[in-house]
Amino acid sequence: MIDKKRQLNNLKNKILRDKSLPLQGSNLVFGEGSSEADIFFIGEAPGLKEEQLGQPFVGRSGQLLTRTIESLGFNRGDVYISNIVKRRPPDNRDPLPLEIEAYKPYLQKQIEIIKPKIIVTLGRFSFNYFMPDRKISLDQGKTFKISNFLLIPMFHPAAALRSTKTLKQFQKSFQKLPSILKKIKELTGPQIA
Ligand code: URA
């Protein structure tokens, strides 16, 4: 059984070799963080800064995400961060359904390898990837049980940068994360007899 870091690295190399994937003109932003992460944050698609650095969420909205993660007492390196589409759509347009579909097996494999206890989706595209009929405006901050993880949809940090009201809701929803994680760990902790 090869370790999770190696499996993620193998997967990254597989994406790089897969020339059938759309947006080939743009650099791959595979994802980063701990392969043992309990929490996996999933955004939409990389922006310009992310494409330049090859890292997810490192522009202005990424800085807000990082600050908010740190405000909970976590380090960015403790969690895992990626996107549903792993290359930048031109002019930062919304990802197309066929782009989301094409990168789907790779996101699924990342989830399978990391086995996070919680997936936090950032924005409507990643929320609707898991729950197509739901609305982020109604469901942000709620908790949904999906197969073997909890899904918690949050607003996209870029939306939180545009509106003080959204920023407050974004921060409030984030503050629930440590206690939810603690509860999951208590429920799945070592069993006595
Ligand atoms: N927005 C996203 O959805 N993902 C990133 O990586 C950066 C900005």
Side-chain angles (χ1 to χ4, degrees):
M1 179 66 187
I2 55 171
D3 70 36
K4 291 183 177 193
K5 252 192 211 160
R6 279 256 298 282
Q7 289 183 62
L8 286 171
N9 211 36
N10 290 346
L11 184 67
K12 183 176 176 179
N13 289 331
K14 196 170 167 200
I15 302 195
L16 284 167
R17 285 194 307 268
D18 186 348
K19 300 298 175 205
S20 73
L21 290 169
L23 306 169
Q24 287 291 325
S26 159
N27 282 334
L28 178 72
V29 180
F30 178 71
E32 67 179 11
S34 167
S35 54
E36 302 292 332
D38 289 324
I39 308 179
F40 189 164
F41 291 90
I42 303 177
E44 185 179 311
L48 181 62
K49 188 90 186 226
E50 287 75 22
E51 189 200 353
Q52 286 167 344
L53 298 179
Q55 294 173 269
F57 282 101
V58 286
R60 247 167 57 77
S61 60
Q63 284 160 19
L64 173 61
L65 176 65
T66 305
R67 280 200 305 278
T68 314
I69 289 170
E70 288 172 353
S71 76
L72 306 176
F74 301 131
N75 288 312
R76 191 178 148 114
D78 296 336
V79 300
Y80 199 83
I81 306 177
S82 189
N83 287 296
I84 45 177
V85 170
K86 306 206 187 296
R87 289 189 173 91
R88 181 168 81 98
D91 305 318
N92 292 343
R93 65 155 166 72
D94 290 344
L96 302 174
L98 73 87
E99 291 163 349
I100 295 174
E101 204 51 39
Y103 283 91
K104 195 173 189 167
Y106 294 104
L107 177 58
Q108 274 174 342
K109 194 73 199 170
Q110 279 176 313
I111 296 169
E112 221 177 282
I113 295 169
I114 296 167
K115 298 189 175 48
K117 295 182 168 57
I118 297 174
I119 288 184
V120 175
T121 53
L122 299 164
R124 82 184 153 98
F125 281 95
S126 53
F127 179 37
N128 290 150
Y129 171 94
F130 292 98
M131 303 186 85
D133 301 325
R134 293 267 176 172
K135 267 192 145 25
I136 180 80
S137 52
L138 298 178
D139 289 329
Q140 76 80 31
K142 293 184 185 167
T143 303
F144 299 91
K145 176 90 182 86
I146 305 234
S147 61
N148 48 357
F149 57 84
L150 287 186
L151 177 76
I152 309 180
M154 307 272 191
F155 284 131
H156 196 285
L161 283 173
R162 286 194 295 267
S163 143
T164 313
K165 187 174 164 223
T166 307
L167 175 64
K168 288 214 172 98
Q169 288 174 294
F170 175 81
Q171 288 168 332
K172 196 169 163 210
S173 298
F174 259 74
Q175 278 158 17
K176 296 184 194 165
L177 278 175
S179 61
I180 295 174
L181 183 59
K182 188 165 172 259
K183 231 175 252 164
I184 300 175
K185 284 188 168 175
E186 281 165 6
L187 288 171
T188 55
Q191 302 291 306
I192 305 161

